[in-house]
Amino acid sequence: MNEVDSLQGLIGKARRERATSIRQLAMQAKAAGYKIVGTTLNAIESGSYKSTPSDDTIRAIAWLARVGDETAFMAAGRRVPGPPFAAELPPGVDDLSPKEREAVIGLLRVLVAQRQELDNEDTSTQDATSNSTAYGEAGSSGAPMKPKHPDNVRQLTRPNQPEEVDEEFDDTAPPPEALDFVARETPPGYKKGYDIDREDDDS
């Protein structure tokens, strides 16, 4: 994985290029006007950070790693935020009636919830892809992993391969000894049942 593909990698890049500690990185970012603390940088780099990094944190990491904001936000699995939405509202919005305001706010809430759901799905997909182990993927020993077959599932046979018969459960045919006994004990001129039925049909 490229070091700019994650915030951890970006912090490591900043430490290496600036040849300094996490504490000094935070001090440099603060001196440049960014809001960041050393404990946050340390938690992100170690992978123990449980919260969602704020926009200020991501921008501070971008500055420290000497990359653009877009690169840092992509590393965080986020899109670069646009300008404040309130700044783009047209003049006259304050003149809307209470019902009109309620309709607009309701629509915005739906769109925001939809966007958050899509972002969560993207994050879950990325995590599942990075942690999944597919058949054939190298195991811990480096050897390819083979699919396991349950003991109660019979594998398919290859073409022209004779089918293996389990004699213990093969009760479809009588043993040869029984056939010999029937041949010895059958009286001369004895006719089987289907022969008699066939004669009756012919008559």
Side-chain angles (χ1 to χ4, degrees):
M1 178 182 291
N2 196 301
E3 62 182 359
V4 299
D5 290 340
S6 68
L7 293 181
Q8 291 173 297
L10 290 176
I11 296 174
K13 179 177 182 293
R15 292 184 63 180
R16 185 183 70 255
E17 293 181 353
R18 295 175 181 266
T20 188
S21 64
I22 287 289
R23 182 171 177 271
Q24 290 297 322
L25 285 178
M27 293 178 63
Q28 292 177 15
K30 285 183 178 180
Y34 292 94
K35 297 179 180 179
I36 191 70
V37 293
T39 53
T40 299
L41 288 175
N42 186 64
I44 293 176
E45 187 182 29
S46 64
S48 60
Y49 193 72
K50 302 302 181 182
S51 302
T52 301
S54 66
D55 294 351
D56 291 336
T57 297
I58 296 174
R59 288 192 172 94
I61 294 174
W63 181 83
L64 289 169
R66 297 188 174 98
V67 299
D69 287 352
E70 183 177 358
T71 299
F73 275 92
M74 288 182 62
R78 302 258 308 278
R79 64 180 63 197
V80 180
F85 190 79
E88 297 185 343
L89 294 176
V93 293
D94 293 335
D95 298 331
L96 295 177
S97 67
K99 288 186 177 180
E100 291 170 336
R101 290 188 179 207
E102 183 179 355
V104 172
I105 293 175
L107 176 60
L108 291 175
R109 285 175 177 167
V110 170
L111 293 176
V112 170
Q114 178 178 319
R115 170 47 51 195
Q116 291 175 343
E117 183 177 355
L118 291 174
D119 290 342
N120 291 335
E121 289 180 358
D122 292 341
T123 302
S124 300
T125 302
Q126 292 175 1
D127 293 341
T129 302
S130 61
N131 296 329
S132 63
T133 302
Y135 282 142
E137 185 178 351
S140 58
S141 61
M145 299 174 61
K146 296 182 180 179
K148 296 181 179 180
H149 299 279
D151 295 336
N152 61 340
V153 176
R154 188 173 185 176
Q155 301 184 28
L156 297 177
T157 58
R158 298 185 179 89
N160 302 325
Q161 178 181 355
E163 183 178 0
E164 297 180 0
V165 178
D166 191 348
E167 296 181 355
E168 182 179 354
F169 298 97
D170 184 22
D171 57 353
T172 58
E177 296 81 1
L179 296 177
D180 294 340
F181 175 80
V182 173
R184 290 196 307 269
E185 298 298 327
T186 300
Y190 177 78
K191 295 183 179 181
K192 298 179 180 179
Y194 63 82
D195 291 330
I196 298 174
D197 294 338
R198 186 168 55 189
E199 289 180 357
D200 293 341
D201 294 338
D202 294 338
S203 61

